[in-house]
Amino acid sequence: MTHTDTLAGERHVPADLPTRIQHYIDGEFVDSVDGATFDVLDPVTNKTYLQAAAGKKADVDRAVSAARRAFTEGPWPRMLPRERSRILHRIADLVESRDARLAELESFDSGLPITQALGQARRAAENFRFFADLIVAQTDDAFKVPGRQLNYVNRKPIGVAGLITPWNTPFMLESWKLGPALATGNTVVLKPAEFTPLSASLWAGIFEEAGLPKGVFNLVNGLGEDAGDALVKHPDVPLISFTGESRTGQLIFANAAPFLKGLSMELGGKSPAIVFADADLEAAIDATIFGVFSLNGERCTAGSRILVQREVYDEFVERYAAQASRVVVGDPQNPATEVGALVHPEHYDKVMSYIEIGKSEARLVAGGGRPEGFPETGNYVAPTVFADVSPDARIFQEEIFGPVVAITPFDTDEEALALANGVKYGLAAYVWTSDLRRAHNFSQAIEAGMVWLNSNNVRDLRTPFGGVKASGLGHEGGYRSIDFYTDQQAVHITLGPAHNPTFGKASAPAH
């Protein structure tokens, strides 16, 4: 286990760090109606470093009213796609130009390593640029019956979109929802995660500078059970896009049902990485190390179950454990750090409890607790590897959402498939093999919304993103995002004589 030189005692604090965060409603920063706030902790010291306004139903009502007014009376939904696209490109330019500052604040607030936070900031800019281009290039269907009928499709923005985002890579995941929601002409109310509200507070200034009309973007901070719940239950919010854990997704599903809302939910994952004996082992080890330990292991698509064919199992486990032990843990702001501090002491306790469970279920081959030499403050967890994990073990079945991986052997393709599909989740999967036929057939049989063959998680923004089973409902990405944030209206035009069956003329009374 290695660690960087900069530890919690020498914590770097970004310049001009705010001590309070407000809501942003109808173009203005405002406190909660009742004045309530909540504490936000620095994950390296676990000390409160700012107070954020704690939104409740009254605050959500104000934000939705502003967004609804901007939708019904404002220019945004009525702009030409090219006009909206120009503003989205300006947003992307601003995010790119401030990437270092965004990354610094994101890393401080979330505990993400600074280099990875920088990559997420740049990805946020690319999300806006992608949808800015897509709405200009977008085409819709036309269906023709020559001389008789023409049918075409109109796409129309739906209204106020409620966006509820998680605390892992918060700024990037906010952009993933904000980009298509705004591009298609909707107005939005964003409810960021309470653990990490800092970077979300920067959107207001970016949007104002880019020329987004007042009321189009609104931000309400607060707890999920207060602000998030009020947003889901608001009758004037027809769309909810949520990223988070599966249990919260079930609650949202139930609470949105009476209103028949459109839902897009990307939920939890326990994604398998399947390594066959004919795989490039070095590439597979590098990718699966990165796949579970990047972003501190706090990622929904983490390959947290590695299934390895028996012929190469012992070699894989030995090499994997040795490399995991060399992963650099340290202060999130140090560029050498590969795993930083987990986001919050509550989450740290959860991950550590799973590590203790794992010690009674499997063979610990790397990590297993707080890294050596680290002070007792801060949410640091050593990259932890369990081998010989049974498929009925809790660490095999349940999402841990931290730098913890379970490795399990298999003998046949059929056994590997049963193990891969043997959990309630179905978000992502990774397959490592040099057999082309096996690669395609196996990936098709896996119950997962996304599969990467001989690859780490490299996302093409045009492709569908989403899961099956307990991992989600619906897909976003490319045209799937356009579909979610728009109504598709079919228009039918008769080009010839009207084809009207005649009722009521067969026995007209004589006069």
Side-chain angles (χ1 to χ4, degrees):
M1 160 67 71
T2 55
H3 59 75
T4 60
D5 295 331
T6 306
L7 294 180
E10 307 159 40
R11 178 68 160 146
H12 166 77
V13 178
D16 303 319
L17 194 65
T19 57
R20 62 193 290 264
I21 288 178
Q22 297 171 288
H23 310 304
Y24 182 76
I25 297 174
D26 207 15
E28 294 182 358
F29 288 101
V30 295
D31 290 325
S32 295
V33 171
D34 64 1
T37 62
F38 62 92
D39 294 343
V40 181
L41 306 184
D42 165 8
V44 166
T45 64
N46 284 331
K47 293 179 181 175
T48 299
Y49 79 92
L50 67 78
Q51 301 279 320
K56 303 203 175 63
K57 184 179 183 300
D59 306 291
V60 170
D61 287 346
R62 289 170 67 194
V64 173
S65 293
R68 182 73 190 153
R69 192 162 53 250
F71 184 77
T72 57
E73 302 171 15
W76 187 249
R78 282 158 280 282
M79 283 184 180
L80 292 173
R82 173 63 74 188
E83 294 175 311
R84 288 201 299 269
S85 175
R86 286 194 185 102
I87 291 176
L88 264 64
H89 274 295
R90 284 204 288 273
I91 292 167
D93 291 341
L94 288 166
V95 171
E96 276 183 355
S97 70
R98 298 172 188 180
D99 58 359
R101 174 66 172 171
L102 285 165
E104 182 185 36
L105 295 179
E106 186 90 310
S107 174
F108 185 86
D109 193 33
S110 69
L112 285 177
I114 185 70
T115 52
Q116 296 169 41
L118 185 61
Q120 297 296 316
R122 290 170 179 165
R123 184 62 166 216
E126 181 57 27
N127 284 336
F128 273 93
R129 210 172 292 294
F130 174 82
F131 287 108
D133 291 339
L134 189 60
I135 55 163
V136 174
Q138 172 191 318
T139 60
D140 287 309
D141 294 324
F143 307 91
K144 302 171 186 174
V145 184
R148 294 180 61 183
Q149 193 178 44
L150 170 65
N151 313 281
Y152 66 89
V153 175
N154 276 331
R155 282 187 187 269
K156 302 193 291 184
I158 296 174
V160 180
L163 312 178
I164 304 175
T165 51
W167 45 256
N168 61 320
T169 63
F171 192 79
M172 190 282 290
L173 284 171
E174 289 151 11
S175 76
W176 178 237
K177 299 179 188 300
L178 287 164
L182 295 174
T184 47
N186 298 282
T187 58
V188 302
V189 177
L190 170 66
K191 206 298 281 186
E194 57 264 31
F195 284 176
T196 54
L198 182 59
S199 58
S201 67
L202 302 176
W203 285 117
I206 291 169
F207 288 154
E208 282 184 13
E209 195 170 332
L212 193 71
K214 189 173 78 167
V216 172
F217 167 76
N218 303 273
L219 168 71
V220 178
N221 291 294
L223 307 184
E225 55 265 36
D226 296 326
D229 187 62
L231 190 57
V232 168
K233 292 175 179 174
H234 201 293
D236 289 335
V237 179
L239 292 175
I240 296 289
S241 177
F242 169 74
T243 301
E245 65 173 1
S246 299
R247 281 172 309 196
T248 308
Q250 290 171 326
L251 282 174
I252 290 173
F253 198 116
N255 289 334
F259 305 96
L260 299 176
K261 297 190 182 221
L263 291 177
S264 177
M265 297 198 290
E266 192 261 287
L267 307 176
K270 191 71 177 176
S271 300
I274 303 97
V275 181
F276 288 94
D278 62 356
D280 178 338
L281 271 197
E282 185 168 355
I285 289 168
D286 280 346
T288 50
I289 288 272
F290 180 82
V292 76
F293 298 131
S294 58
L295 306 179
N296 298 345
E298 298 165 326
R299 56 186 302 169
C300 49
T301 54
S304 54
R305 294 182 297 138
I306 306 178
L307 314 176
V308 184
Q309 200 156 23
R310 187 88 57 185
E311 295 95 302
V312 293
Y313 180 78
D314 289 341
E315 179 188 355
F316 183 94
V317 169
E318 183 181 350
R319 291 173 60 181
Y320 191 96
Q323 189 160 328
S325 299
R326 294 192 296 270
V327 170
V328 179
V329 182
D331 187 283
Q333 303 269 330
N334 189 319
T337 292
E338 294 169 333
V339 171
L342 300 193
V343 68
H344 191 274
E346 278 180 29
H347 186 60
Y348 171 83
D349 289 344
K350 174 194 166 188
V351 172
M352 293 295 268
S353 73
Y354 270 111
I355 289 174
E356 292 309 306
I357 290 167
K359 289 175 181 176
S360 68
E361 292 183 323
R363 176 165 60 100
L364 178 68
V365 293
R370 179 177 284 276
E372 290 181 18
F374 277 62
E376 285 305 306
T377 55
N379 307 316
Y380 291 107
V381 176
T384 296
V385 183
F386 289 103
D388 310 341
V389 181
S390 167
D392 60 0
R394 287 185 64 186
I395 61 168
F396 187 97
Q397 291 289 331
E398 299 174 21
E399 185 177 41
I400 299 173
F401 218 64
V404 183
V405 67
I407 308 181
T408 302
F410 70 87
D411 291 297
T412 65
D413 289 35
E414 293 76 18
E415 185 186 1
L417 185 63
L419 289 168
N421 291 342
V423 299
K424 68 178 181 178
Y425 299 102
L427 187 57
Y430 308 86
V431 180
W432 291 86
T433 179
S434 60
D435 184 327
L436 186 63
R437 183 167 14 178
R438 170 199 273 154
H440 288 291
N441 289 332
F442 197 91
S443 64
Q444 187 166 335
I446 290 177
E447 295 166 351
M450 300 168 285
V451 182
W452 279 268
L453 300 178
N454 297 322
S455 170
N456 155 41
N457 180 335
V458 179
R459 276 270 292 130
D460 184 320
L461 292 177
R462 296 169 296 180
T463 58
F465 186 100
V468 298
K469 302 197 294 189
S471 287
L473 178 75
H475 285 78
E476 295 186 30
Y479 275 104
R480 278 77 176 182
S481 293
I482 303 295
D483 286 343
F484 177 68
Y485 289 107
T486 56
D487 280 326
Q488 297 179 52
Q489 177 191 59
V491 179
H492 308 276
I493 306 136
T494 296
L495 300 178
H499 179 68
N500 293 330
T502 302
F503 277 23
K505 291 186 180 179
S507 53
H511 292 287

